[in-house]
Amino acid sequence: MSSPFFSIVIVNYNAGAMLGNVMSALSDQTYKNFEVVVIDNNSQDNSWRAAENLPFPCRLVRLNSNTGFASANNLAVKNYVNAEWLFLLNPDAYPEPECLEIIVQYISQTPDIDCFACSLIDANKPSHLDGLGDTYHISGLHWRTGHGAPCDITPVHPIEVFSACAAAAIYRTETYRQLGGFDETYFAYSEDVDLGFRLRLTGGKSLLLPNAKVHHVGSAITGRSSDFSVYHGHRNLTWTFIKNVPDPLMLILLPVHLAMIFYMGCFFAVSGRLRLYMRAKIDAFKHIRPLLAQRKEIQSKRTCSCLNLLQMMAWRPRKSFTKVSIKQENTNY
């Protein structure tokens, strides 16, 4: 029996009815050569039962504790994935029926690309985007490109993006393994940007596929502004910056990163959450010794030039995102 083209990995944790919605969306795919691996992080709501008795191959792995998003994905890729291509899909992300078929077409047309991002549409407001890949700012902040913008800003042709949002991201399985997968110390948040950064440093690229559409609820389980997301998001973005920014750029960008930390501290002070934010940053810098060891290994494999890296970073703040800024991206794919 031949291996499937895609291994679709879904990490589930108390997703409720959403996991069933994902399985329905996968059942409706026009492309059928895939398997599904569901890693359940000790859900207490029986949502995992949606991974049983399906019309396509699906393996359910139930864990005894919540190991986090990063670790659960790595476990799946290490032990249960059989396909050449890996499709990471959140339990609150629902691919349109032709999504897999479109991805397969572009994979065959661009054999030198190891990572693809889907167009994420706001599931609660389908006229607007949840994101078109990830943007990485020179300060170390990052965000989903075009989040909250009207869908009509979506480019006509595939474009290169800094990294793919792991709510619906496609990786060549061997490349994912060679990069070491997600950094499991992150637990959740920013691990996809970190992986995309490491891919880029080794000469790889991430390509947005505008017509591969996935409807995404977004932070449906942890909450976009919850203490959990604030803590892990701001701790992990500093880890990503320290590990991945090359030495020549560190001299220039570290003052910008520190200024951003101060600016965000003022924001959280006004909102009454300074203690939480400071705990995230203190814990980030407490981890500096293993971070520097990781940095040494990552930078030893760098082939990407600093100029190329800077060209893929954002220089203006998020609010300056416009329709023009994305449509002028490279469309030579």
Side-chain angles (χ1 to χ4, degrees):
M1 182 175 178
S2 61
S3 297
F5 189 81
F6 286 113
S7 288
I8 302 174
V9 175
I10 302 171
V11 176
N12 182 63
Y13 179 67
N14 294 330
M18 292 184 293
L19 185 62
N21 294 338
V22 174
M23 297 308 177
S24 295
L26 293 177
S27 298
D28 292 339
Q29 291 298 303
T30 57
Y31 184 84
K32 303 295 185 180
N33 189 16
F34 63 86
E35 65 177 3
V36 176
V37 178
V38 175
I39 307 294
D40 183 75
N41 266 329
N42 196 33
S43 294
Q44 303 301 307
D45 65 352
N46 289 328
S47 56
W48 53 272
R49 292 194 178 277
E52 298 178 327
N53 302 318
L54 294 164
F56 48 78
C58 180
R59 180 161 189 164
L60 172 64
V61 180
R62 297 203 65 209
L63 304 182
N64 294 323
S65 62
N66 183 3
T67 64
F69 180 80
S71 179
N73 274 293
N74 287 353
L75 174 70
V77 178
K78 180 180 180 180
N79 296 321
Y80 304 109
V81 163
N82 299 306
E84 180 183 356
W85 286 91
L86 174 67
F87 188 4
L88 304 186
L89 192 65
N90 275 11
D92 62 345
Y94 317 134
E96 292 190 354
E98 295 183 350
C99 183
L100 290 182
E101 187 173 349
I102 290 168
I103 295 167
V104 171
Q105 291 172 357
Y106 278 108
I107 285 175
S108 64
Q109 294 171 14
T110 54
D112 59 328
I113 301 296
D114 289 338
C115 176
F116 297 88
C118 295
S119 290
L120 298 179
I121 298 169
D122 188 336
N124 298 310
K125 193 176 182 182
S127 62
H128 285 67
L129 292 168
D130 185 66
L132 300 172
D134 289 324
T135 293
Y136 193 87
H137 190 262
I138 58 171
S139 67
L141 283 173
H142 48 79
W143 56 83
R144 289 197 295 277
T145 307
H147 177 73
C151 285
D152 63 7
I153 72 160
T154 305
V156 175
H157 303 288
I159 63 168
E160 186 178 353
V161 292
F162 190 87
S163 60
C165 174
I170 302 93
Y171 302 93
R172 196 184 303 272
T173 304
E174 184 58 29
T175 300
Y176 184 96
R177 288 171 173 157
Q178 288 176 352
L179 290 169
F182 290 142
D183 186 333
E184 296 184 12
T185 60
Y186 281 41
F187 192 83
Y189 289 101
S190 301
E191 65 286 301
D192 49 358
V193 177
D194 172 63
L195 181 62
F197 207 142
R198 287 185 277 126
L199 173 67
R200 184 162 296 281
L201 288 173
T202 59
K205 296 178 180 178
S206 299
L207 195 67
L208 169 72
L209 303 181
N211 295 324
K213 298 177 181 178
V214 176
H215 295 255
H216 186 217
V217 177
S219 300
I221 297 173
T222 60
R224 184 165 287 129
S225 297
S226 67
D227 286 358
F228 180 91
S229 62
V230 170
Y231 172 81
H232 286 85
H234 284 278
R235 183 196 65 178
N236 295 353
L237 72 83
T238 286
W239 284 354
T240 299
F241 183 89
I242 292 173
K243 286 165 49 181
N244 296 306
V245 174
D247 289 343
L249 295 184
M250 185 64 77
L251 296 173
I252 303 169
L253 300 185
L254 182 58
V256 183
H257 183 72
L258 294 175
M260 178 274 293
I261 290 177
F262 177 77
Y263 173 82
M264 294 302 299
C266 294
F267 171 81
F268 282 106
V270 171
S271 63
R273 304 175 86 181
L274 179 61
R275 181 172 295 182
L276 174 67
Y277 177 75
M278 290 304 298
R279 182 163 64 89
K281 292 306 177 186
I282 290 170
D283 287 352
F285 286 103
K286 279 183 178 178
H287 199 67
I288 192 68
R289 184 170 294 179
L291 277 178
L292 293 178
Q294 286 180 283
R295 173 183 173 80
K296 183 177 180 180
E297 180 180 358
I298 290 168
Q299 297 304 320
S300 70
K301 299 175 183 178
R302 178 171 71 90
T303 60
C304 175
S305 71
C306 290
L307 178 59
N308 177 270
L309 198 57
L310 280 175
Q311 288 172 338
M312 287 305 302
M313 290 181 178
W315 289 69
R316 295 181 293 175
R318 181 177 181 174
K319 66 181 181 180
S320 67
F321 175 84
T322 64
K323 181 176 180 179
V324 174
S325 68
I326 191 165
K327 288 202 171 181
Q328 289 179 342
E329 295 274 4
N330 185 355
T331 58
N332 294 324
Y333 294 97

